[in-house]
Amino acid sequence: MEFKFGGSIDNQKTVLGHPTGLFVLFFTEMWERFSYYGMRALLVLFLVSSVLDEGWGWDRADALILYGWYTSLVYITPILGGLIADKITGYRKAVFLGALIMTLGHLSMAFEVFADPFFYLGLVLLIVGNGLFKPNISSIVGQLYKTEGKEKDAGYTIFYMGINAGAFLGIMLCGYIGEKVGWHWGFGLAGIFMFFGMLQFYYAQNIFGKIGLKPAKTDSFIDSAPGVDIQEDENPDVEEVEVPKNVSNDRLKVIGIFAFFTIFFWWAFEQAGGSMTIFAKDYTDRVLVDNGALIFKIFNTLLTVVPLVIITWVLIMLFKQTFKKYGLSNIFLGISFVIIWAIVIWMLYREFNSEQSEVPASWFGILNSFFIIAFAPLFSKLWESKYNPSGPVKFAVGLILLGLGFGILAYGSLSIPQGASTAAVSMIFLVLAYLFHTLGELCLSPVGLSYVSKLSPKKLVGLMFGIWFVSSFFANLLGGFTGSYIDVIVAKYSMATFFMIFTLVPIGAGIVMLLLNGKLIKMMHGIR
């Protein structure tokens, strides 16, 4: 009996046409991203808040320097984490250990109220834990699929939806509770869901069969059916299918080229946390009155509830397939959703009974995750259809869409006078910019993860994912450096000129990628 998917016989059951194990990873990654983005949303705000507001009262510059170090190291440690998993622990143990260390990190930050060193210890633990967790959970996703085609691309797109569901909920809820109730409650909430994600993964991991075990035990990623024996490879250092060295080298070069072009993407995309936030705060009309305020509250409710309903529906489908065999894992996952629904209902009730009618500048940050949740299923189906383009074309389209998003902001900024420190531009320009940025992200980021999995030699998958994330390290540094010139460029030229920089560079990179399409397809040697 031949299995369609990698892993155990239980993993042959499907949810939305994909193996159930994908959704175990989906929810594990969702809660990890909840904790990461929830804490990140609070970090700088906590540091710059006054002591009277229970913050540390730091200067903005010092807070941003610490933030920069933290985010940079988060993208560097996956190299070491991938190498450790490839050579020593295997992917599953690395994911569990990473989740455990991050849970302790969030707990330590929540304990900052007792002593400052708990805060720094928490950051260190989060950096180390992320290095073990991030590259290796993506590696397990790739091994769920026996083929290297469009089905795997679709699987990574669904997985990416989980990433953004967690980011959406984390930014909204940890940010809200941290600012409205207390910083330590926000840090603690992030840790609670990391803890539940860890338990959910641990008690369901047998669904993966041999996938993700120690390297010496993972030569066959496909379990046998009952009564059928599969012989283990006597030499675990040899891949099942011998790939010529020149082919392997070409494929690694393609990964390098893709990684290089992602720098241009994230360099511009990460302005969301910098110059685009400044634009939202000081140059966007966010004050709503009368019916406008009511409409926003209704829209914000739908924005929160509809994605959570969709994710809960996916949760129920997973329960139907796995509860009998993995009941304890499902119980921990179910408890986490009961808590999240309770917090959401409390938050919305509180907001509807408040007089607040100004849209917070941070609110725009959740639009990216919302659009991901809304459009990821559509893109997943598109990649499985006859209209599925090549990887380089997807990258090119992603870069061009990103540039067009900044083009919308540049157009919306034409009315802002040279050197102006404030303005009142319509919110629609930011909303449309986030929409185009998200559509571009769906074309590039999950597809990039899929190609790293498909093009890497089996025993280097974790390391290659680690290297892949280094591109984000450079992008974040360059993005912060470039964004810091916003005041200089606005004073000398205009806000429209500033955003045109982020329009032209990604579009130019996308055009170059289109020109390289034929060459890169040849270098992939049959992998699509």
Side-chain angles (χ1 to χ4, degrees):
M1 175 182 175
E2 185 177 356
F3 286 174
K4 181 179 180 181
F5 302 108
S8 70
I9 191 170
D10 298 308
N11 199 45
Q12 308 314 305
K13 298 176 182 179
T14 61
V15 174
L16 299 177
H18 291 269
T20 52
L22 174 66
F23 294 90
V24 172
L25 299 173
F26 173 100
F27 286 111
T28 305
E29 177 72 5
M30 188 183 86
W31 289 137
E32 187 275 332
R33 290 291 87 184
F34 180 102
S35 68
Y36 174 79
Y37 281 100
M39 189 284 293
R40 198 181 75 165
L42 295 175
L43 182 58
V44 173
L45 291 172
F46 165 72
L47 291 172
V48 300
S49 294
S50 67
V51 176
L52 291 177
D53 292 328
E54 299 183 349
W56 278 9
W58 280 23
D59 292 337
R60 291 177 182 176
D62 293 335
L64 290 172
I65 288 172
L66 179 63
Y67 176 81
W69 274 108
Y70 171 70
T71 54
S72 297
L73 290 173
V74 157
Y75 285 112
I76 286 294
T77 52
I79 297 180
L80 183 58
L83 187 61
I84 289 172
D86 281 331
K87 301 298 183 183
I88 303 172
T89 64
Y91 304 131
R92 271 155 55 178
K93 187 173 289 186
V95 167
F96 174 74
L97 289 174
L100 176 60
I101 292 170
M102 283 189 287
T103 299
L104 295 174
H106 287 294
L107 181 65
S108 183
M109 292 188 72
F111 280 174
E112 179 275 336
V113 67
F114 300 112
D116 291 354
F118 280 112
F119 179 84
Y120 295 110
L121 174 62
L123 288 180
V124 171
L125 291 173
L126 289 172
I127 291 168
V128 173
N130 181 82
L132 286 168
F133 185 98
K134 189 65 178 173
N136 297 309
I137 194 168
S138 298
S139 301
I140 297 174
V141 174
Q143 293 173 17
L144 293 176
Y145 296 89
K146 295 172 66 175
T147 61
E148 300 292 343
K150 57 188 180 183
E151 195 173 50
K152 179 179 281 191
D153 284 359
Y156 269 107
T157 300
I158 289 175
F159 180 70
Y160 206 67
M161 179 180 168
I163 291 175
N164 284 274
F168 174 88
L169 292 170
I171 293 170
M172 175 174 285
L173 299 182
C174 290
Y176 184 86
I177 289 177
E179 291 190 70
K180 302 289 186 179
V181 180
W183 305 113
H184 311 295
W185 290 102
F187 290 138
L189 183 67
I192 288 172
F193 289 102
M194 185 70 259
F195 178 69
F196 279 116
M198 175 189 72
L199 293 177
Q200 185 259 162
F201 174 82
Y202 180 80
Y203 287 106
Q205 63 177 311
N206 286 340
I207 201 169
F208 303 118
K210 297 177 182 177
I211 294 174
L213 297 179
K214 288 186 179 181
K217 298 179 181 179
T218 55
D219 302 291
S220 173
F221 298 119
I222 315 301
D223 282 12
S224 62
V228 179
D229 292 329
I230 291 181
Q231 299 296 321
E232 295 284 349
D233 191 342
E234 293 181 359
N235 183 2
D237 293 324
V238 179
E239 293 181 346
E240 289 182 73
V241 178
E242 188 68 28
V243 177
K245 189 172 183 180
N246 67 308
V247 172
S248 180
N249 287 341
D250 278 351
R251 290 174 177 171
L252 289 174
K253 289 176 184 176
V254 172
I255 293 176
I257 292 171
F258 282 164
F260 176 74
F261 276 87
T262 62
I263 293 176
F264 292 100
F265 184 89
W266 297 116
W267 162 75
F269 187 92
E270 289 299 328
Q271 296 304 308
S275 62
M276 287 177 67
T277 298
I278 293 173
F279 186 80
K281 179 178 180 294
D282 295 329
Y283 297 91
T284 302
D285 183 8
R286 297 180 286 110
V287 178
L288 300 173
V289 295
D290 300 328
N291 289 336
L294 178 61
I295 290 171
F296 172 76
K297 289 179 180 180
I298 294 172
F299 175 71
N300 191 46
T301 299
L302 294 174
L303 189 67
T304 306
V305 172
V306 172
L308 193 53
V309 168
I310 294 172
I311 297 166
T312 304
W313 171 64
V314 175
L315 175 82
I316 293 170
M317 288 192 291
L318 178 64
F319 279 10
K320 289 179 178 178
Q321 297 287 34
T322 61
F323 195 88
K324 185 176 180 181
K325 187 75 175 286
Y326 303 101
L328 191 55
S329 171
N330 289 176
I331 288 171
F332 284 122
L333 187 56
I335 292 172
S336 67
F337 267 73
V338 170
I339 296 173
I340 211 75
W341 270 108
I343 295 172
V344 165
I345 292 170
W346 166 79
M347 179 189 73
L348 294 175
Y349 175 81
R350 179 173 173 171
E351 286 302 297
F352 261 98
N353 286 278
S354 71
E355 298 294 329
Q356 179 69 27
S357 59
E358 182 177 15
V359 180
S362 61
W363 178 86
F364 295 94
I366 69 172
L367 290 175
N368 171 243
S369 298
F370 171 75
F371 288 138
I372 288 283
I373 295 168
F375 288 101
L378 174 63
F379 276 76
S380 179
K381 292 297 182 185
L382 181 64
W383 300 156
E384 291 184 291
S385 73
K386 64 180 180 180
Y387 300 106
N388 181 39
S390 68
V393 170
K394 292 173 185 173
F395 264 64
V397 171
L399 285 160
I400 291 169
L401 287 171
L402 176 71
L404 291 176
F406 279 105
I408 292 171
L409 285 178
Y411 177 77
S413 301
L414 289 174
S415 61
I416 300 176
Q418 178 182 348
S421 58
T422 59
V425 174
S426 171
M427 291 191 295
I428 190 63
F429 295 107
L430 266 176
V431 172
L432 289 175
Y434 273 105
L435 173 61
F436 274 81
H437 291 181
T438 302
L439 297 178
E441 183 183 4
L442 281 167
C443 289
L444 183 142
S445 189
V447 173
L449 293 172
S450 180
Y451 271 92
V452 173
S453 173
K454 291 188 288 191
L455 294 169
S456 299
K458 291 296 182 186
K459 294 187 180 299
L460 292 178
V461 172
L463 177 61
M464 295 312 298
F465 269 111
I467 292 174
W468 177 260
F469 291 122
V470 173
S471 62
S472 294
F473 164 78
F474 289 112
N476 275 273
L477 286 179
L478 292 172
F481 180 79
T482 310
S484 68
Y485 283 89
I486 181 171
D487 290 335
V488 174
I489 294 174
V490 170
K492 190 173 183 179
Y493 301 99
S494 67
M495 179 67 76
T497 301
F498 175 79
F499 283 125
M500 278 303 296
I501 296 171
F502 298 99
T503 301
L504 298 176
V505 173
I507 290 177
I511 293 171
V512 173
M513 181 60 85
L514 282 176
L515 296 175
L516 292 174
N517 180 47
K519 176 67 173 177
L520 292 175
I521 288 175
K522 290 180 181 179
M523 292 174 66
M524 289 189 284
H525 295 280
I527 289 182
R528 293 282 292 179

